């Protein structure tokens, strides 16, 4: 046989070969049988099976498609995970017409709810910090294994507890069938003495006892500007100016960060009802939920803090994070403190 004839023969499959290739491909791709099992069934070597399966792909007898829901951007998700050393990164499509003053897209909460359904195992302790995105996430929860749910921060306004983080904790506990440990106290108090007194109240102290047991946490991120940071909106003009002078660029759970992820304005924490940063760092899985162009730089700052391991965001923020010139100094999974504390 000439070389040209052999080439044509290799490219062309007879009917028996086509039928056999289709049958082997069905066993392998649809029925989950191994190449050894298929080889035994057809009386050929496993190497022959491998060649047939390869040919089936080349001849378009088999087409492999990788599909994710249209709202998920798999390519950006993987690139973001690799760039920041995250355990999980999920990027969703930004709204077609994103407004400059819009909060986190609500679909972030829905996707985060699905992610928690994957990450939380029976017997875990789930911690929820205050934030619009975590509240949206809790409202979207429809599955969670039995777990304990604890509130990690006080509420933005004690008068809105029923519509905020307290209700989010209750909702998550209801879905999981586990215990709920809410915190009925404001996040920010007038002075350290008042905050210290509240921390010793029975219900709040009981919630704090669970902080070291938290295995999965969900947190929000804010940038240091009106409407995008809870803490910013609770402070006086003088206090805002003071913390701005320290270089604050981001806020998470009442902790402030500069652009390099270093904590600044630590005195503020003495007035807050919130999980301490060192405790957050010890939680095995901390999922941050935040998106939008206005939060992009703040998200990058918090990722550099080493306090979070996973991120749910949108394409607008992801594009900034993937192109910003300041590459992350430490991957998030190292959980290292930029301050060296």
């Amino acid at each position: 046989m000439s070389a040209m004839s052999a080439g044509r023969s290799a490219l062309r499959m007879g009917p028996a070969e086509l039928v056999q290739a289709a049958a082997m491909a069905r066993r392998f791709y649809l029925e989950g049988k191994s190449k050894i099992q298929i080889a035994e069934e057809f009386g050929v070597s496993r190497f022959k099976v491998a060649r047939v399966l390869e040919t089936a792909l080349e001849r378009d007898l088999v087409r492999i498609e990788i599909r994710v829901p249209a709202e998920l951007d798999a390519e950006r998700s993987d690139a973001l995970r690799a760039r920041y050393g995250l355990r999980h990164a999920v990027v969703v499509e930004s709204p077609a017409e994103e407004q400059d003053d819009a909060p986190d897209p609500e679909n972030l909460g829905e996707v985060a709810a699905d992610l928690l359904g994957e990450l939380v195992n029976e017997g875990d302790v789930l911690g929820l910090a205050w934030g619009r995105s975590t509240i949206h996430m809790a409202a979207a929860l429809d599955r969670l294994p039995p777990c304990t749910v604890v509130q990690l921060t006080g509420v933005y306004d004690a008068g809105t507890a029923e519509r905020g983080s307290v209700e989010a904790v209750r909702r998550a506990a209801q879905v999981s069938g586990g215990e709920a440990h809410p915190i009925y106290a404001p996040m920010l108090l007038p002075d350290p003495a008042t905050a210290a007194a509240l921390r010793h109240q029975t219900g709040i102290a009981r919630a704090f006892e669970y902080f070291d047991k938290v295995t999965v946490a969900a947190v929000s991120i804010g940038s240091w500007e009106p409407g995008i940071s809870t803490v910013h909106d609770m402070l006086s003009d003088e206090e805002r100016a003071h913390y701005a002078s320290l270089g604050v660029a981001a806020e998470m759970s009442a902790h402030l960060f500069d652009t390099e992820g270093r904590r600044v304005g630590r005195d503020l924490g003495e007035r807050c009802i919130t999980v301490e940063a060192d405790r957050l760092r010890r939680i095995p899985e901390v999922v941050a939920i935040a998106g939008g162009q206005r939060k992009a730089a703040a998200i990058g700052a918090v990722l550099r803090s080493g306090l979070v391991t996973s991120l749910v965001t949108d394409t607008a923020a992801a594009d900034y994070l993937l192109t910003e010139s300041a590459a992350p100094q430490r991957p998030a999974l190292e959980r290292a403190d930029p301050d060296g504390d």
Side-chain angles (χ1 to χ4, degrees):
M1 180 184 296
S2 69
M4 185 175 295
S5 306
R8 285 198 298 268
S9 177
L11 290 173
R12 182 175 180 178
M13 298 176 70
E17 291 176 309
L18 285 168
V19 169
Q20 184 186 68
M24 288 183 176
R26 178 174 294 278
R27 304 290 195 280
F28 186 73
Y29 291 108
L30 299 183
E31 299 176 12
K33 291 187 176 180
S34 69
K35 293 174 184 176
I36 293 177
Q37 290 174 315
I38 297 170
E40 292 175 350
E41 178 181 348
F42 286 86
V44 298
S45 71
R46 62 185 177 89
F47 302 105
K48 168 71 172 178
V49 173
R51 287 196 299 272
V52 170
L53 292 175
E54 183 178 349
T55 302
L57 284 171
E58 293 173 351
R59 299 287 295 168
D60 276 347
L61 292 178
V62 175
R63 294 183 180 181
I64 298 176
E65 292 184 289
I66 301 174
R67 290 187 174 184
V68 296
E71 67 173 356
L72 298 182
D73 192 310
E75 184 176 351
R76 284 184 174 93
S77 297
D78 187 57
L80 198 60
R81 178 201 58 76
R83 178 173 172 81
Y84 286 89
L86 294 163
R87 185 171 290 122
H88 304 283
V90 182
V91 178
V92 305
E93 289 291 337
S94 300
E97 296 182 0
E98 182 184 359
Q99 299 178 358
D100 289 341
D101 59 348
D104 295 323
E106 290 193 19
N107 59 346
L108 292 188
E110 297 170 1
V111 172
D114 287 340
L115 179 60
L116 280 193
E118 293 182 58
L119 299 181
V120 177
N121 296 308
E122 183 173 352
D124 276 347
V125 177
L126 171 63
L128 299 181
W130 195 96
R132 296 181 184 91
S133 55
T134 52
I135 291 171
H136 289 151
M137 178 204 67
L141 284 171
D142 59 10
R143 63 185 177 98
L144 271 182
C147 64
T148 298
V149 186
V150 60
Q151 193 170 323
L152 296 179
T153 63
V155 297
Y156 173 49
D157 181 348
T160 63
E162 293 301 314
R163 303 189 302 276
S165 46
V166 169
E167 180 56 30
V169 169
R170 287 176 174 168
R171 167 66 181 168
Q174 180 184 33
V175 172
S176 73
E179 296 181 4
H181 294 277
I183 293 178
Y184 295 96
M187 181 188 296
L188 180 66
L189 282 303
D191 53 73
T194 304
L198 279 177
R199 292 189 199 103
H200 286 91
Q201 286 191 356
T202 303
I204 298 174
R206 185 178 298 116
F208 267 64
E209 289 174 359
Y210 275 90
F211 286 179
D212 286 329
K213 303 174 185 178
V214 173
T215 49
V216 180
V219 300
S220 297
I221 296 173
S223 56
W224 195 246
E225 54 183 309
I228 310 296
S229 165
T230 301
V231 173
H232 180 282
D233 293 344
M234 290 191 289
L235 296 174
S236 67
D237 289 342
E238 183 179 354
E239 289 171 324
R240 292 169 189 160
H242 165 67
Y243 291 115
S245 71
L246 301 179
V248 59
E251 174 257 321
M252 179 181 69
S253 303
H255 300 294
L256 309 182
F257 307 87
D258 66 11
T259 56
E260 298 302 320
R262 295 183 295 255
R263 289 179 58 211
V264 296
R266 299 191 181 203
D267 60 304
L268 183 66
E270 298 175 4
R271 297 169 49 195
C272 293
I273 302 296
T274 185
V275 60
E276 300 94 328
D278 59 340
R279 280 178 162 175
L280 259 181
R281 201 179 303 279
R282 292 196 295 267
I283 296 174
E285 182 75 78
V286 179
V287 181
I289 312 162
Q293 294 180 3
R294 288 181 68 183
K295 284 191 177 183
I299 295 169
V302 172
L303 290 182
R304 281 185 281 274
S305 75
L307 288 174
V308 303
T309 59
S310 298
L311 175 68
V312 177
T313 191
D314 67 346
T315 51
D319 285 344
Y320 173 89
L321 294 169
L322 290 171
T323 57
E324 65 169 341
S325 58
Q329 295 180 354
R330 296 180 174 89
L333 286 184
E334 291 182 11
R335 311 305 294 276
D337 188 342
D339 293 326
D341 294 351

